[in-house]
Amino acid sequence: MGGEAEMVESQEWYMAAYAAEGVPTSDHLKLRTKTLSLAPDSIPDRHVAIQMLYISVDPYLRTRMSGLNDGLYFPQFEINQVITAFAIGRVVRSKDSKFTEGDVVISPFFPVAEYFVAPAETLIGKVDPADGISPPEYLSCLGVPGFAAWVGIEVLGDPKPGSNVFISAAAGGVGIFAGQLAKIRGCRVKLLKEEFGYDDAFNYNKETDFDAALTRYFPNGIDVYLDNVGGKMLEAVLNHVNHRARIPVCGMISQYNKPWTEREGVRNLLNMVGKDVRMEGFLVGTYLDRFGDFGIQMKNYIKEGKISSKHMIFNGIDSFLESLASLFSSSNHGKVIIQIRSE
Amino acid sequence: MGGEAEMVESQEWYMAAYAAEGVPTSDHLKLRTKTLSLAPDSIPDRHVAIQMLYISVDPYLRTRMSGLNDGLYFPQFEINQVITAFAIGRVVRSKDSKFTEGDVVISPFFPVAEYFVAPAETLIGKVDPADGISPPEYLSCLGVPGFAAWVGIEVLGDPKPGSNVFISAAAGGVGIFAGQLAKIRGCRVKLLKEEFGYDDAFNYNKETDFDAALTRYFPNGIDVYLDNVGGKMLEAVLNHVNHRARIPVCGMISQYNKPWTEREGVRNLLNMVGKDVRMEGFLVGTYLDRFGDFGIQMKNYIKEGKISSKHMIFNGIDSFLESLASLFSSSNHGKVIIQIRSE
């Protein structure tokens, strides 16, 4: 017990009401305080008590808050229940032989809370202080967005040297790493915002004439488009694809905040026939058998200085709503992380 | 010269005006008569004079008549020029050593005319009278629709035994063969029209509530959807796809007769992410390196009685407009072919 009292006050975010449309607000997500016992008798066997350190705020969380059980992504968060997220915490008490107090541990589904008790089997790894990689990097280039970028570029997009690669929502978590991975492959990369030394960029929230922008940025057409915007941006891209273009889709952030019947329809899918285009949606969870390969490759790139992360750090658990909203605004510059406490 | 006069009158269809919308009519396609010399001096070296026997009428022809040079499919037919189609003809004079008078020959791009002179290099094969396969079968199961079905099912869809396979526009050329190929693989096949002993069927022109129909026909969801309808049908299917479903798209017949900005937008592409769905458009021309494999496999299936064809035969070159219109109506029962003369 690193100085923790036997009883702690823990703030946690719970789902008060679903938000079918728009960015969720304090009408939908509310903060409450619970008192939690960290006494040894209160921790079940093969469980650990965790103090939250860093929370990864990712766009897919929005899809669990709509109340629309359309069978997509993960199930909806339950009303009155604490929500969960990919996160890093510190073990403050362990009833499991694989973990000791002080371990900094990772889980895809930690409660968005300051303290909690979790089954040890839900922890997917430890932060190794010796490898020189910071906890935020474990949530960015080595976390959900890094893995999504790796699946999108390395597994599905598979661009060749010299390919023209377009990455939407590039300022967000996934795009940053996808752009760098495509650069490592020798591609010509264009993305939404100028960051990290890429060739060029534009912003889907400001650039209204997508077609003119794509004509300007891709005079030779698009070979790989990693989509996480959808809607009108995807439609514009489909008018600029080259033969046998590939479109891995890891999300459609322009479309999350409305029911599907009110989303922007894509009218030119026929272009996929004329150009032999493959479009492929993916959830990172489907590719977990490749997570080990990904970690090895990505850690090497980090050590070689080929992959760098940019983080947009919010402070304190009460910043969750603000951090979530930032995913849907163009003020988002880098992987959104909430720091609860430093390690 | 099989009795042909030195000079013949030949009717041919030419593009008089493009049809941006709707089914092309006599405003757009017109018949004219040309006088053609079949005298030996009139035939260039390495050319053959052909008498047309059978013309394959396929939906992709519509995409060459819009006047919209959107870079898709093949180029637009030129105004005042004779249109072309996959067809079978008889050699009536040969100035090429590989062909002799009487040969029944196949080309993807014969002029839609009663007589014409063609470069020998454009002929892709001969009908072998010894193999027991009729000329219409060379245009159906061994022609454009058979090959499109084979690419869609065998190469891209790749359904497993027991998979739930949905085939739209099944009464058309492609669907007939795709359904039979999926049946051979042990799949549960549903298609638009009950034909050829399939499990079930419905008709996209009559069935207005696609969602209810798919719920009824696919209580366990859809694993492979071979799309050649697009629009609202594709949208409905995307609400019923299983995890890792595949959607090969060989056309979108519901969408051809309007400019892309007026086509039905598909609003639920986000489902492709949640279900890890792959959608892949294809042109058969892209897979010509597999045409030999296809022919061997398909001829075996035909000889084993596992593949049967249904033809909707129109008579005479003046039936071209009517035959084209039949592709877009639910009265289309089988591969549309125009018989100019019997062999």
Side-chain angles (χ1 to χ4, degrees):
Chain A
M1 286 295 299
E4 260 68 37
E6 291 292 303
M7 301 296 289
V8 291
E9 303 269 282
S10 172
Q11 293 187 94
E12 65 180 26
W13 284 95
Y14 70 99
M15 197 86 234
Y18 292 124
E21 301 183 40
V23 177
T25 68
S26 56
D27 290 341
H28 312 104
L29 291 157
K30 293 185 189 295
L31 199 58
R32 66 186 169 200
T33 301
K34 279 195 171 171
T35 302
L36 191 73
S37 170
L38 301 179
D41 291 352
S42 310
I43 317 291
D45 283 347
R46 293 184 295 283
H47 281 61
V48 290
I50 304 277
Q51 178 187 40
M52 184 67 90
L53 299 177
Y54 297 93
I55 297 169
S56 176
V57 182
D58 297 295
Y60 90 93
L61 291 172
R62 174 66 187 90
T63 67
R64 306 191 67 180
M65 301 173 178
S66 69
L68 307 168
N69 273 301
D70 45 10
L72 300 176
Y73 290 98
F74 296 101
Q76 295 301 302
F77 291 126
E78 287 183 48
I79 294 294
N80 285 324
Q81 298 293 306
V82 61
I83 64 172
T84 66
F86 199 98
I88 290 176
R90 184 163 59 90
V91 175
V92 293
R93 182 171 303 280
S94 176
K95 297 288 275 293
D96 188 277
S97 59
K98 296 190 294 300
F99 298 95
T100 57
E101 291 170 23
D103 281 352
V104 177
V105 293
I106 305 166
S107 168
F109 299 112
F110 271 158
V112 177
E114 291 173 300
Y115 288 90
F116 51 90
V117 172
E121 66 182 9
T122 63
L123 310 182
I124 61 167
K126 294 184 195 181
V127 171
D128 180 358
D131 69 9
I133 295 173
S134 69
E137 287 176 302
Y138 275 93
L139 299 186
S140 56
C141 39
L142 293 173
V144 172
F147 189 46
W150 188 85
V151 173
I153 297 295
E154 299 287 324
V155 180
L156 301 180
D158 195 25
K160 304 294 171 279
S163 287
N164 294 301
V165 176
F166 177 50
I167 296 166
S168 63
V174 178
I176 285 171
F177 306 117
Q180 293 178 87
L181 287 169
K183 272 290 192 187
I184 292 169
R185 282 181 163 234
C187 303
R188 296 184 63 250
V189 180
K190 309 275 181 183
L191 67 165
L192 288 174
K193 281 187 175 293
E194 180 68 86
E195 296 280 356
F196 297 95
Y198 298 135
D199 300 319
D200 213 332
F202 59 89
N203 179 335
Y204 81 95
N205 284 322
K206 290 182 186 155
E207 182 78 58
T208 50
D209 188 345
F210 297 144
D211 185 70
L214 291 172
T215 299
R216 198 162 63 245
Y217 288 110
F218 291 97
N220 299 314
I222 295 170
D223 300 302
V224 171
Y225 170 48
L226 179 61
D227 185 26
N228 45 20
V229 166
K232 293 296 176 207
M233 177 67 86
L234 174 58
E235 194 175 78
V237 168
L238 283 169
N239 285 334
H240 291 265
V241 284
N242 289 333
H243 187 237
R244 304 213 92 162
R246 290 195 181 183
I247 304 180
V249 186
C250 59
M252 294 189 170
I253 203 165
S254 72
Q255 306 295 298
Y256 289 150
N257 294 321
K258 27 197 161 174
W260 78 266
T261 50
E262 291 169 29
R263 290 181 185 149
E264 291 165 359
V266 174
R267 295 164 294 177
N268 56 354
L269 292 172
L270 186 56
N271 297 6
M272 294 179 64
V273 179
K275 298 285 190 179
D276 285 286
V277 173
R278 178 191 291 183
M279 187 187 303
E280 189 157 7
F282 67 99
L283 294 174
V284 294
T286 304
Y287 295 86
L288 282 180
D289 60 327
R290 305 293 307 276
F291 198 81
D293 300 337
F294 153 73
I296 292 166
Q297 186 177 338
M298 209 68 165
K299 282 185 180 177
N300 284 337
Y301 287 153
I302 295 168
K303 288 170 186 169
E304 294 166 7
K306 291 179 178 170
I307 292 280
S308 60
S309 298
K310 188 170 184 182
H311 304 116
M312 188 173 179
I313 306 278
F314 289 80
N315 287 298
I317 198 162
D318 54 345
S319 68
F320 181 77
L321 276 178
E322 187 191 352
S323 72
L324 185 67
S326 79
L327 296 174
F328 300 96
S329 80
S330 60
S331 66
N332 167 10
H333 292 280
K335 172 70 188 101
V336 176
I337 291 172
I338 302 173
Q339 180 170 358
I340 309 297
R341 297 196 179 199
S342 63
E343 197 183 341
Chain B
M1 284 299 299
E4 261 69 37
E6 290 292 303
M7 300 296 288
V8 292
E9 302 269 285
S10 172
Q11 293 187 94
E12 64 180 25
W13 284 96
Y14 69 100
M15 197 84 235
Y18 293 123
E21 301 182 41
V23 177
T25 68
S26 57
D27 290 340
H28 312 103
L29 291 157
K30 294 185 188 295
L31 201 56
R32 66 186 169 200
T33 302
K34 279 195 171 173
T35 303
L36 191 73
S37 169
L38 301 179
D41 291 351
S42 309
I43 317 291
D45 282 347
R46 293 184 296 283
H47 281 61
V48 291
I50 303 276
Q51 177 187 42
M52 184 66 90
L53 299 177
Y54 297 92
I55 297 169
S56 176
V57 182
D58 297 295
Y60 90 94
L61 291 172
R62 174 66 186 92
T63 68
R64 306 191 66 179
M65 301 172 178
S66 68
L68 307 169
N69 273 301
D70 46 10
L72 301 175
Y73 291 98
F74 296 102
Q76 295 300 305
F77 291 128
E78 286 183 48
I79 294 294
N80 285 324
Q81 298 295 305
V82 61
I83 64 172
T84 66
F86 199 100
I88 290 176
R90 185 162 58 89
V91 175
V92 293
R93 182 171 304 278
S94 176
K95 297 288 275 296
D96 187 278
S97 59
K98 295 188 297 298
F99 298 95
T100 56
E101 290 171 23
D103 280 351
V104 177
V105 293
I106 305 167
S107 169
F109 300 112
F110 271 159
V112 177
E114 290 172 301
Y115 288 91
F116 50 90
V117 173
E121 64 183 9
T122 64
L123 311 182
I124 60 167
K126 294 185 193 181
V127 172
D128 180 358
D131 68 11
I133 295 173
S134 70
E137 286 175 303
Y138 274 93
L139 298 186
S140 56
C141 41
L142 292 173
V144 173
F147 189 46
W150 189 84
V151 173
I153 296 296
E154 298 286 325
V155 180
L156 301 180
D158 195 25
K160 305 292 171 280
S163 287
N164 294 300
V165 176
F166 177 50
I167 296 166
S168 63
V174 178
I176 286 171
F177 306 117
Q180 293 178 87
L181 287 169
K183 272 290 193 189
I184 291 169
R185 282 182 162 232
C187 302
R188 296 184 61 250
V189 180
K190 310 274 181 183
L191 67 167
L192 287 173
K193 281 189 176 292
E194 180 69 85
E195 297 280 355
F196 298 94
Y198 299 135
D199 301 318
D200 212 334
F202 59 91
N203 179 335
Y204 81 95
N205 283 322
K206 289 181 186 155
E207 182 77 60
T208 51
D209 188 346
F210 296 144
D211 186 71
L214 290 172
T215 299
R216 197 161 66 244
Y217 288 111
F218 290 98
N220 300 313
I222 295 170
D223 299 302
V224 171
Y225 170 49
L226 179 62
D227 185 27
N228 45 20
V229 167
K232 293 295 176 208
M233 177 67 86
L234 174 57
E235 194 175 76
V237 169
L238 282 170
N239 285 333
H240 291 266
V241 283
N242 290 333
H243 187 237
R244 304 213 91 163
R246 290 194 182 184
I247 305 181
V249 185
C250 59
M252 294 190 169
I253 203 165
S254 73
Q255 306 296 299
Y256 288 149
N257 293 323
K258 24 195 163 175
W260 78 267
T261 50
E262 291 168 29
R263 289 180 185 149
E264 291 165 359
V266 174
R267 296 164 293 177
N268 56 354
L269 292 172
L270 187 55
N271 296 8
M272 293 179 65
V273 179
K275 298 285 190 179
D276 284 287
V277 173
R278 178 192 291 183
M279 185 186 304
E280 190 158 6
F282 68 98
L283 294 174
V284 295
T286 304
Y287 295 86
L288 282 180
D289 60 327
R290 306 293 307 277
F291 198 82
D293 299 337
F294 153 74
I296 292 166
Q297 185 177 339
M298 209 69 165
K299 283 185 179 177
N300 283 336
Y301 287 153
I302 295 168
K303 288 170 185 168
E304 293 166 10
K306 292 179 177 169
I307 292 280
S308 61
S309 298
K310 188 170 184 182
H311 304 116
M312 187 172 181
I313 306 278
F314 289 79
N315 288 298
I317 198 162
D318 54 345
S319 68
F320 181 77
L321 276 178
E322 185 191 355
S323 72
L324 184 68
S326 79
L327 296 174
F328 301 97
S329 79
S330 60
S331 66
N332 167 9
H333 293 278
K335 173 70 189 101
V336 176
I337 291 171
I338 302 173
Q339 180 169 359
I340 309 296
R341 298 199 179 196
S342 63
E343 198 183 340

